[in-house]
Amino acid sequence: MSKRAWALLAAWSVALIYGVTFTIAKDVMPKHIDAFGFIFLRVGGSMLLFWLATLFVKTERIEKADFPRIMAASFFGVAFNMLTFFKGLSYTSPIMGAVLMVTTPMIVLVLSAIIMKERMENRKVVGILLGLAGTVTLILYGKAKINAPNATLGNFLVFVNAVSYGIYLIIVKKLMDKYNAFSFVKWIYFFGFLMVIPFGWREFQLVDWTMVPSSAYLKIGFVVIFSTFLTYLLNLLSMRELKPTTVAVFIYLQPFFASIFAIGLGKDELSWVKIGSAVLIFIGVYLVTQKRETIKEKIPNSK
């Protein structure tokens, strides 16, 4: 497989894991632990895993001039990103949270055009719009809004999270072009953990761990190991070969995988609306992930 194929496989894997995470995280909070306490546990556990991993992986020395960018990535990609998302998810329903998350590709497309001067190709714009249409339809025709104590605030926080994650994807791209992922991601989580301590420590202390069932421990472990540690590595791997807009469009697949997961558990059922939505999503992802042919590739060899 080519490097690009591996990068696309990594992006698909991230979408699959995140799609399952919506339901798993909602099962844990706020019933067993509040949102900020969960973030404290999630970021702290992942930070330990990243630093342990560097004992077995060769890393490079980070230049002092790059630490401000790393701290910015920590803020937008870890602290602010996770705090707003999990607090928002605790207030709103997973369905509405997923609706707002799919605005991320549009945000990244606009930010890339402004910050990175990336040209907005018509094919990408069409792909993003098709994916957006399919995803919104899929979610709106899913389960009714339930367990949403403050949907307005929750929806706002999830949208802020989508903007934050879009900024992170652009910030971290230059680090990926310069360093091995393990060289800087451990620092991203180190600074990110310092940033979430003031918000999550109190809620973490309030948890009576003797009352938490073993199933909740397993779900927390899944979020730390797979939804955080593994997905961040896979995202960085995909970004080494793909543009931020391409990586971001895979967010459209998360609600699709979430629906498949729910159907598998008997909590939802298949319908023609969902099938049609899935087709739109896959077409959208295909259009955005296809590389534009160069002029040389289009012109046949004259020899």
Side-chain angles (χ1 to χ4, degrees):
M1 290 176 65
S2 65
K3 289 183 178 180
R4 181 176 174 80
W6 279 113
L8 291 171
L9 179 61
W12 274 83
S13 300
V14 169
L16 174 60
I17 294 170
Y18 277 152
V20 174
T21 301
F22 273 95
T23 300
I24 291 178
K26 190 68 176 179
D27 286 344
V28 175
M29 60 169 202
K31 182 178 180 180
H32 302 297
I33 183 171
D34 285 329
F36 287 175
F38 197 0
I39 294 301
F40 175 87
L41 188 63
R42 181 185 183 186
V43 178
S46 299
M47 179 193 68
L48 291 176
L49 290 176
F50 281 119
W51 279 86
L52 285 173
T54 58
L55 297 176
F56 307 97
V57 180
K58 187 177 179 179
T59 58
E60 306 145 290
R61 184 181 179 84
I62 303 295
E63 296 178 12
K64 289 183 179 180
D66 288 322
F67 274 100
R69 179 175 288 272
I70 287 176
M71 294 182 71
S74 300
F75 177 76
F76 289 108
V78 177
F80 192 57
N81 170 37
M82 292 189 188
L83 289 170
T84 52
F85 175 70
F86 271 69
K87 181 61 77 172
L89 188 59
S90 70
Y91 286 142
T92 190
S93 66
I95 290 174
M96 290 310 299
V99 168
L100 292 163
M101 275 301 295
V102 300
T103 61
T104 299
M106 298 297 292
I107 293 167
V108 172
L109 187 67
V110 173
L111 291 175
S112 294
I114 296 171
I115 299 174
M116 300 176 67
K117 309 300 181 184
E118 183 178 314
R119 189 169 69 87
M120 281 195 181
E121 300 173 21
N122 292 334
R123 173 177 48 79
K124 282 191 175 183
V125 174
V126 171
I128 286 175
L129 291 176
L130 284 175
L132 181 63
T135 304
V136 171
T137 302
L138 174 67
I139 297 169
L140 291 179
Y141 282 87
K143 291 286 186 179
K145 290 189 291 182
I146 55 173
N147 197 17
N150 192 340
T152 301
L153 177 59
N155 292 341
F156 173 74
L157 289 174
V158 174
F159 176 73
V160 170
N161 152 259
V163 176
S164 178
Y165 187 69
I167 295 172
Y168 160 76
L169 287 176
I170 293 173
I171 290 174
V172 82
K173 178 63 175 174
K174 286 190 176 181
L175 294 172
M176 278 302 303
D177 293 339
K178 190 172 183 179
Y179 300 106
N180 173 287
F182 281 99
S183 300
F184 64 85
V185 74
K186 64 178 183 179
W187 288 108
I188 286 179
Y189 269 83
F190 173 76
F191 290 120
F193 184 59
L194 294 180
M195 292 174 188
V196 303
I197 288 175
F199 300 93
W201 175 245
R202 181 176 174 276
E203 290 187 1
F204 176 76
Q205 282 187 309
L206 292 175
V207 179
D208 183 358
W209 293 102
T210 60
M211 300 297 293
V212 177
S214 56
S215 60
Y217 278 105
L218 291 175
K219 290 172 182 177
I220 291 171
F222 178 90
V223 172
V224 172
I225 297 171
F226 292 96
S227 304
T228 312
F229 176 73
L230 182 59
T231 55
Y232 265 72
L233 287 179
L234 290 173
N235 250 337
L236 292 171
L237 172 63
S238 63
M239 287 192 67
R240 185 175 290 278
E241 299 296 326
L242 306 173
K243 291 182 179 180
T245 46
T246 304
V247 175
V249 82
F250 277 88
I251 288 173
Y252 288 150
L253 291 172
Q254 292 176 23
F256 170 73
F257 286 130
S259 294
I260 295 296
F261 183 62
I263 291 169
L265 293 177
K267 296 180 179 180
D268 206 343
E269 58 184 14
L270 196 61
S271 68
W272 285 109
V273 171
K274 290 170 184 168
I275 294 173
S277 300
V279 171
L280 286 176
I281 291 170
F282 280 109
I283 293 174
V285 172
Y286 174 81
L287 289 174
V288 174
T289 55
Q290 290 304 295
K291 292 185 71 174
R292 185 163 57 95
E293 290 183 322
T294 62
I295 295 175
K296 289 183 178 180
E297 290 172 335
K298 289 183 177 180
I299 300 176
N301 195 326
S302 58
K303 290 184 180 179

